[in-house]
Amino acid sequence: MKNIAVIGAGTMGNGIAHVFAQNGFHVTIIDVSLSQLEHAVATITRNLDRQVAKGGITEEQKKATLANIVLDSSFVDGVKDADLVVEAASEKIDVKLEIFDRLDKFCPRTTILATNTSSISISKIASATGRADKVIGMHFMNPVPVMKLVEIINGYATSPEVTSQIVELSKQLGKIPCVVNDYPGFIANRILMPMINEAVYSLFEGVAGVEEIDTVMKLGMAHPMGPLQLADFIGLDVCLSILQVLQAGFGNPKYAPCPLLVNMVTAGKLGVKSGEGFYTYTPGSKELVVSKRFK
Ligand code: CAA
């Protein structure tokens, strides 16, 4: 594999493009929004600068990485030579079904179609194509250049050859692949989201404050971030939609999202990306300040 197309230039898309390009692949980032494409390159450049400053890579490696990336706002041109497409568009089933329908039409028959979905069924996404054997989940973790895991999800019809290829490819990226099956939330979010939801319930019921909940989990369980800070980092809207997928998929009320989480999303308090969630965020500041609402 040499040519990779990444659909979507958001946080996950630019991180995925960064990692492929840094490992010598030719990457085309495709997004309908030109400003989003420009923002993605600015983010990748900033993250590469940080790696250079910390001595992780050289200035030449940074330049070579950037030279491996091209931008395209045309879906048709961007995917026509792709050996692999990694879709990292928004977490909406209708959007993904439309993208995979188009990918099936415009990609060569041999192209593997991967999705970075965090919880939507791979088998469902594959049903929009005529090549379900070549559709697979390739779930990267944020921040992609830092996190070692790639959760690889076999759809109902994914062929074992395609799984092996994606496992090998993940290793070439310096990642540790872990293969799981296609049930709601897969493994990562089936376990992570109930923990986050329980943290929100603990706050909602007044068992403890934001800092106390996060400190218990950081210091007591050696988590790099507490669950409420992590929820802000992931995006509260994303957490809510994954919990809804778990609740609908299993039909089990234990996955029902906490009403406080629902209220916060309704009020537009989405965490880091909106500037406020359980904490408030000031651009350029690393200080963690609990949101006024929870003081
Ligand atoms: N690109 C490149 N490098 C980055 C980076 C980025 N976007 N963000 C951080 N880094 C690097 C830093 O340069 C630094 O490198 P060194 O170790 O070489 O110095 C290292 O990562 C640590 O960064 P910082 O010192 O700035 O900050 P930190 O020590 O607080 O770590 C963190 C930041 C890596 C994000 C850490 O807090 C962490 O691991 N948090 C948990 C992240 C997590 O759980 N992610 C999974 C979320 S779930 C998901 O993504 C999937 C889903 O479906 C919801």
Side-chain angles (χ1 to χ4, degrees):
M1 285 198 195
K2 199 67 202 155
N3 296 326
I4 314 295
V6 177
I7 311 275
T11 309
M12 296 307 285
N14 78 57
I16 293 166
H18 175 146
V19 168
F20 273 106
Q22 195 176 329
N23 286 282
F25 294 87
H26 296 150
V27 182
T28 306
I29 312 178
I30 301 165
D31 199 295
V32 281
S33 156
L34 271 179
S35 65
Q36 187 80 319
L37 285 169
E38 281 161 14
H39 183 69
V41 173
T43 304
I44 293 171
T45 307
R46 205 173 49 245
N47 286 331
L48 287 167
D49 282 338
R50 184 185 356 204
Q51 288 171 276
V52 173
K54 297 221 168 170
I57 59 167
T58 62
E59 188 62 35
E60 285 65 41
Q61 285 171 310
K62 172 192 149 184
K63 284 188 186 140
T65 301
L66 289 172
N68 279 336
I69 298 176
V70 295
L71 307 178
D72 210 319
S73 55
S74 152
F75 197 90
V76 181
D77 287 345
V79 301
K80 72 177 189 308
D81 296 321
D83 301 310
L84 168 73
V85 178
V86 184
E87 172 274 322
S90 65
E91 274 296 275
K92 295 191 178 94
I93 179 87
D94 293 344
V95 172
K96 292 201 191 290
L97 292 177
E98 194 192 326
I99 289 175
F100 276 75
D101 174 50
R102 295 185 71 202
L103 285 174
D104 195 41
K105 291 194 174 93
F106 297 124
C107 292
R109 293 311 303 165
T110 50
T111 306
I112 295 177
L113 307 180
T115 170
N116 180 58
T117 181
S118 46
S119 64
I120 296 173
S121 162
I122 309 303
S123 310
K124 177 74 186 162
I125 292 172
S127 71
T129 74
R131 58 176 98 183
D133 59 322
K134 291 193 175 60
V135 178
I136 191 161
M138 205 176 178
H139 184 203
F140 291 85
M141 303 290 135
N142 187 21
V144 182
V146 179
M147 303 298 283
K148 281 283 175 199
L149 178 72
V150 182
E151 186 181 35
I152 293 174
I153 306 110
N154 279 328
Y156 194 83
T158 309
S159 81
E161 293 73 28
V162 166
T163 308
S164 303
Q165 271 180 285
I166 297 301
V167 163
E168 282 315 307
L169 181 70
S170 303
K171 290 180 186 164
Q172 282 178 45
L173 299 176
K175 303 290 184 197
I176 313 265
C178 202
V179 180
V180 309
N181 289 318
D182 185 22
Y183 290 96
F186 320 130
I187 287 296
N189 282 316
R190 181 169 178 169
I191 296 172
L192 176 63
M193 287 303 154
M195 182 191 74
I196 287 178
N197 201 32
E198 206 57 38
V200 184
Y201 262 115
S202 305
L203 179 68
F204 180 58
E205 292 169 2
V207 182
V210 170
E211 275 172 316
E212 288 73 17
I213 292 168
D214 275 355
T215 302
V216 166
M217 297 306 285
K218 273 193 287 189
L219 302 187
M221 283 74 191
H223 290 190
M225 289 175 167
L228 299 175
Q229 186 191 357
L230 183 57
D232 275 358
F233 180 68
I234 292 168
L236 301 191
D237 51 340
V238 176
C239 295
L240 176 60
S241 83
I242 296 172
L243 282 162
Q244 286 164 337
V245 167
L246 289 169
Q247 189 186 10
F250 290 113
N252 187 332
K254 81 174 176 179
Y255 297 109
C258 176
L260 173 59
L261 180 67
V262 177
N263 268 358
M264 290 174 77
V265 173
T266 308
K269 307 296 181 196
L270 308 181
V272 177
K273 64 182 157 192
S274 74
E276 188 182 341
F278 298 103
Y279 298 87
T280 48
Y281 300 89
T282 317
S285 166
K286 274 194 140 189
E287 200 193 346
L288 207 50
V289 181
V290 175
S291 164
K292 258 197 226 134
R293 178 78 171 66
F294 300 111
K295 277 192 175 149

